[in-house]
Amino acid sequence: MRVFILICFVFFLLSPSAYAAKPSDKVSELIKSGEEYMLKDSYDEAIKSFDKAISLDPKNPWAYFHRGEAHDKKNELDLAVADYSKAIEFKPSLCSAYVKRGKVYEKQGKNSLALENYNTLLAAYPSYSEGFNSRGELYYRQGLPDAALSDFDNAIRLAPKNNQAYVNRGRVFLLKKMPERAIIDFDTVIANYEGVPLGDKIGDSIAWAYYCKGLACDSLAQTSYEYSLKAADCFKSFLKCYPPEDSGTAIEYAKRYTFKGDPLKVGVRVEVIKVLLEGNDNLLVVMRVENGSSNTIDSVYVGKFDLYLDGRIIGRKNVTFTGVDGTPIVPGETGNFYLRLAGEGQDFRNWNVSIFEHHLNMR
C-alpha cells in the first residue's frame, strides 16, 4: 500500500498539471499583457486581455480599471464609466478610479455627475491630493476661479510636489491678472525638473509650466525687455516637449520672440513669419528682415537647430537663412530670408525643432 501511495505521489509531481499556473498568476499575467498593449496603443488587444482576466476573476478591480482606461482611449465613454464603477465597487479605496471616472463624466458634459463623483471621493478620502486637483480643474473650467484656487491650495498642501496642481494654481493667478504670482508656481515646477532633459516624453506638467510661464512673461513684456527674453526661452522650452504641429499657439508666440534682431544691431528687426511642413520630411522656415541699419545684410545665422525624436536629440545643425538667389537686404529695405531643412528619410511630423541664438552677417 505504501508503495502504491509513493508511486501516485511521484506521478503527481511529474504531471504537467502539477506545475500549471495558479488562477491568480494567470490573471496577473493577463493584466500585465493588457498594460503592455496599452503602451503600444493597441487598445482592442488590451481589452481582450482584460476580458480574459475578468473571466477568470470577475471581482478583480485592476482588470476593470485598466479595461476602463482602454475604453476611455477608444472614446467608448459609457463602457469606461461602467468599468471604473466596477473597479470602485470591488476596491472602494481605488481613488484613481474616481478621478478617471470624473474625467469621463466631464468629457460627456455631465459636470454635475463629475462634481458629485469628486465630492464622494474627497468625503471618503480627504487626504487625497489628486482628488482636490481634479475637482479644482472642474471648477476652473466652470468659471469658478476662487473655488478652484482653494482646491489647488489643498492639493499642494497635501502633496507639496504635485506639479500639475502648481501649474493649475498658476493658471488661476494668470486669470486673476497676477502674473508675477503665477510665475512663482511655474518656477516651482521647473525647479522640480532641474537636470531632466526636455523632450516630448517628459510629461505634461513641465511642458505646460514653461508654456504658461511664457504667457505670464508675455503679459509683462511691456514693462521690461527682460521679460521678452524670458518669454522667448519659455516658449522654446515648451516646443522641445511638444512637436510643432501640436503647438500652434506656442509657435505663434515663438515667432514673436525667437528672432527679435540683435540688440547690438540697432535698427534691425528679424522675425520668423512662417513655419511650414512641406510633405512629410521637409521643413520650410521663413523670416522677415527689416533693415533699418546702415549695413547690407547678406544672411542671418541662427546658431543651431536641435532636432528631437522621442525626447532625444537625433540631429543638430548649424543653419543660416539666406535670401532667394542669395539676394541681400540693403539699408532701408525689408525682405524675406528662407531656410529649408530636408528630413533625410525621417518624418518631420515626429520631430521637434528648436531654434536658439542668432547673429546677423552684415557688411
Side-chain angles (χ1 to χ4, degrees), residues 2-306:
R2 290 181 178 177
V3 173
F4 175 75
I5 294 174
L6 179 61
I7 291 172
C8 290
F9 180 70
V10 171
F11 176 78
F12 173 76
L13 288 178
L14 296 177
S15 171
S17 63
Y19 296 95
K22 294 184 292 185
S24 60
D25 293 337
K26 184 61 177 176
V27 169
S28 296
E29 290 174 8
L30 287 167
I31 292 175
K32 182 179 180 181
S33 175
E35 291 179 297
E36 290 172 353
Y37 280 124
M38 291 285 288
L39 292 174
K40 299 174 184 176
D41 298 334
S42 300
Y43 304 124
D44 289 330
E45 294 301 319
I47 289 171
K48 290 177 184 177
S49 288
F50 299 136
D51 284 344
K52 292 177 182 176
I54 290 169
S55 69
L56 292 174
D57 184 358
K59 293 186 177 182
N60 188 296
W62 292 108
Y64 285 106
F65 177 81
H66 291 304
R67 191 173 71 175
E69 289 182 309
H71 285 306
D72 194 351
K73 290 291 187 180
K74 293 186 65 182
N75 208 38
E76 297 170 345
L77 302 184
D78 288 335
L79 292 174
V81 167
D83 276 346
Y84 291 140
S85 297
K86 278 289 187 182
I88 292 168
E89 177 185 344
F90 296 129
K91 188 176 175 64
S93 62
L94 188 51
C95 295
S96 54
Y98 282 95
V99 170
K100 295 278 188 179
R101 187 172 66 178
K103 298 301 182 186
V104 174
Y105 282 142
E106 291 184 56
K107 288 181 184 179
Q108 294 176 312
K110 300 176 180 178
N111 289 337
S112 59
L113 282 177
L115 180 58
E116 181 183 340
N117 173 82
Y118 297 136
N119 288 342
T120 300
L121 166 63
L122 291 171
Y125 302 99
S127 297
Y128 186 54
S129 171
E130 193 53 39
F132 283 105
N133 183 56
S134 296
R135 190 175 68 178
E137 289 177 337
L138 175 61
Y139 283 142
Y140 180 87
R141 283 188 284 270
Q142 290 182 314
L144 300 169
D146 291 331
L149 186 61
S150 175
D151 271 354
F152 296 142
D153 283 341
N154 280 321
I156 291 167
R157 174 180 58 81
L158 293 167
K161 287 205 171 182
N162 187 332
N163 289 314
Q164 192 58 48
Y166 281 105
V167 173
N168 288 334
R169 189 171 70 177
R171 290 166 62 206
V172 175
F173 286 128
L174 277 180
L175 189 65
K176 287 175 166 287
K177 309 295 184 185
M178 301 168 63
E180 294 97 334
R181 178 61 187 83
I183 288 172
I184 294 173
D185 277 345
F186 303 138
D187 279 341
T188 298
V189 178
I190 292 168
N192 286 340
Y193 280 85
E194 186 176 2
V196 179
L198 297 182
D200 62 356
K201 301 296 183 184
I202 193 174
D204 284 345
S205 297
I206 181 64
W208 291 108
Y210 276 117
Y211 179 80
C212 293
K213 182 181 176 181
L215 294 179
C217 291
D218 177 66
S219 70
L220 294 166
Q222 292 187 354
T223 66
S224 169
Y225 180 69
E226 180 182 353
Y227 280 115
S228 296
L229 299 178
K230 289 180 179 179
D233 289 339
C234 287
F235 291 126
K236 284 183 281 187
S237 293
F238 173 81
L239 289 173
K240 288 185 183 182
C241 303
Y242 279 77
E245 68 272 15
D246 295 333
S247 314
T249 305
I251 286 179
E252 291 303 315
Y253 280 104
K255 288 179 188 177
R256 186 187 310 172
Y257 286 120
T258 300
F259 301 102
K260 280 291 189 181
D262 190 330
L264 298 178
K265 307 293 193 299
V266 178
V268 177
R269 176 179 172 81
V270 183
E271 180 181 18
V272 171
I273 60 172
K274 184 184 294 184
V275 180
L276 178 67
L277 187 69
E278 295 182 322
N280 292 343
D281 60 357
N282 288 285
L283 191 69
L284 170 67
V285 186
V286 183
M287 66 190 327
R288 177 181 290 117
V289 178
E290 299 175 7
N291 187 3
S293 74
S294 58
N295 300 304
T296 296
I297 301 176
D298 288 320
S299 62
V300 179
Y301 168 67
V302 298
K304 295 179 174 64
F305 267 93
D306 283 350

